[in-house]
Amino acid sequence: SSGINAEWPLRPGWKAKYFVKIQRLLDEYPRIFIVRADNVRSKQMQQIRHSLRGIAEILMGKNTMMCKAIRGQVATNPALEKILPHIKGNVGLVFTKEDPILVRDKLLENKVAAPARAGAIAPCDVIVEAQNTGMGPEKTSFFQALNISTKIAKGSIEIVSNVFLIHTGDKVGQSEATLLQMLNVMPFAYGLVVENIYDNGAVFAPEILDITDEQLLAKFSSGVANVACVSLAMGYCTQASLPHSIINGFKNVLAVAVETEINFPQADAAKAFLADPTAFAVAAAPAEAAVEETKEEEKQDSSEEEESDDDMGFSLFD
């Protein structure tokens, strides 16, 4: 009991320092990564902290303490309350001011290969490739128990085809773990896994970081096209439909001008074409011929270059 009493006065001071630190981080950094730290050992955590030095700060601790510290900052920054529902399980917080993609990539770089232990939940599919195991025929029954097709080749067991051994989310059995250990296979990789990202008041999944500018522009263009279609169908003018309305209106005016004696510069070309289409065909023909001649010249030039290269090659060995 004397040992407990001697250490007890230190605990409130440690907690106070922890709350001061997390409040400083919440005030200083606009972006927070909520990361899962399952199966991450202390040595690996040190390596991750070292790789993030100058880029981000990692804070681990009890969920109750993190939630309490965040609630204490909600009065000054109400958006922080959005983080609270995501602090569950074995999680930590990574604070940064840098590009989220950079921080995410740094976290992915610091994964460590690990064996499949019995009872662990598989984070990925495990496929055993066809191979010569180097094991003696006495181990054949072990493979038969796992329904793995084998044959004896050069005095050792050979797996005939690829085997889908474990699916993502399955619990690793003792037999599967033993087989992978016998084959010296470490199928899993553990590290800090990004579950959610808080960025200036918004919380989103890490998959959002994979969206490119091209994808955003394509989605935006598709949305603008849909707005234009609806606007044109309703006869309601919007900024998206205005160019189409102007073009459609010009087509109507042009049609009226062609059928009547009304003339204006834009209609003259259309009337001239309708009056004598052959004139435009004759004018277009020389242009097409010029294009064809250019293509033929390029082909001739390329063939001449190839011939000269061949000649040079022969002369080197004469």
Side-chain angles (χ1 to χ4, degrees):
S1 60
S2 59
I4 295 174
N5 292 334
E7 293 179 3
W8 177 252
L10 297 176
R11 292 186 61 81
W14 175 80
K15 285 185 177 181
K17 291 180 180 178
Y18 183 86
F19 284 121
V20 169
K21 180 179 180 180
I22 192 171
Q23 288 170 4
R24 175 185 65 81
L25 295 172
L26 291 170
D27 289 336
E28 183 177 348
Y29 293 97
R31 298 187 182 95
I32 305 172
F33 284 66
I34 303 165
V35 295
R36 190 174 71 250
D38 293 338
N39 301 297
V40 178
R41 300 181 180 275
S42 58
K43 184 178 180 180
Q44 184 182 358
M45 183 64 74
Q46 289 177 358
Q47 294 174 348
I48 296 172
R49 290 182 188 276
H50 184 268
S51 68
L52 292 176
R53 190 170 297 169
I55 299 174
E57 290 190 53
I58 301 176
L59 180 76
M60 306 299 294
K62 292 184 178 179
N63 292 356
T64 53
M65 293 181 63
M66 287 192 286
C67 289
K68 184 177 180 180
I70 291 171
R71 289 192 186 98
Q73 295 293 100
V74 168
T76 56
N77 188 358
L80 290 173
E81 194 170 6
K82 298 178 182 178
I83 302 175
L84 296 175
H86 304 289
I87 298 182
K88 53 186 177 182
N90 185 20
V91 298
L93 303 177
V94 179
F95 297 83
T96 184
K97 297 178 182 177
E98 302 296 329
D99 182 1
I101 296 177
L102 171 65
V103 178
R104 189 271 311 269
D105 292 344
K106 282 288 185 183
L107 293 173
L108 291 176
E109 289 173 5
N110 285 277
K111 286 192 173 184
V112 175
R117 293 186 174 86
I121 303 300
C124 61
D125 295 334
V126 178
I127 298 174
V128 176
E129 297 181 352
Q131 59 183 291
N132 191 311
T133 63
M135 302 178 194
E138 69 277 2
K139 298 285 186 181
T140 303
S141 59
F142 181 79
F143 289 90
Q144 290 176 345
L146 290 171
N147 295 320
I148 298 176
S149 300
T150 60
K151 66 178 181 179
I152 304 301
K154 298 180 180 180
S156 59
I157 298 173
E158 182 176 320
I159 299 175
V160 177
S161 59
N162 293 351
V163 180
F164 212 118
L165 189 65
I166 306 171
H167 293 267
T168 302
D170 289 351
K171 183 178 288 188
V172 180
Q174 184 63 51
S175 298
E176 289 85 355
T178 303
L179 173 62
L180 293 170
Q181 186 177 2
M182 291 166 60
L183 296 174
N184 197 26
V185 174
M186 293 195 292
F188 302 151
Y190 294 123
L192 295 181
V193 179
V194 181
E195 292 195 330
N196 288 282
I197 301 169
Y198 170 89
D199 191 347
N200 291 296
V203 177
F204 53 86
E207 291 77 14
I208 300 296
L209 299 179
D210 296 323
I211 298 176
T212 63
D213 293 341
E214 290 75 15
Q215 290 174 320
L216 288 175
L217 289 173
K219 288 289 186 181
F220 180 77
S221 298
S222 176
V224 170
N226 292 335
V227 171
C229 291
V230 173
S231 300
L232 291 171
M234 295 173 58
Y236 184 81
C237 186
T238 62
Q239 191 171 359
S241 66
L242 182 60
H244 302 280
S245 299
I246 293 174
I247 292 173
N248 292 337
F250 175 74
K251 289 179 181 179
N252 294 333
V253 171
L254 186 61
V256 172
V258 168
E259 295 296 329
T260 62
E261 297 299 324
I262 300 173
N263 294 317
F264 56 91
Q266 290 80 1
D268 292 341
K271 287 185 176 183
F273 175 79
L274 293 173
D276 186 12
T278 57
F280 289 87
V282 172
E288 293 178 358
V291 172
E292 292 296 330
E293 289 178 3
T294 303
K295 290 182 179 178
E296 290 296 330
E297 290 177 358
E298 290 177 354
K299 290 181 180 178
Q300 291 176 1
D301 292 341
S302 61
S303 62
E304 290 176 0
E305 289 177 0
E306 290 176 358
E307 291 175 0
S308 64
D309 291 342
D310 292 340
D311 293 340
M312 184 176 291
F314 283 118
S315 64
L316 287 174
F317 295 98
D318 288 343

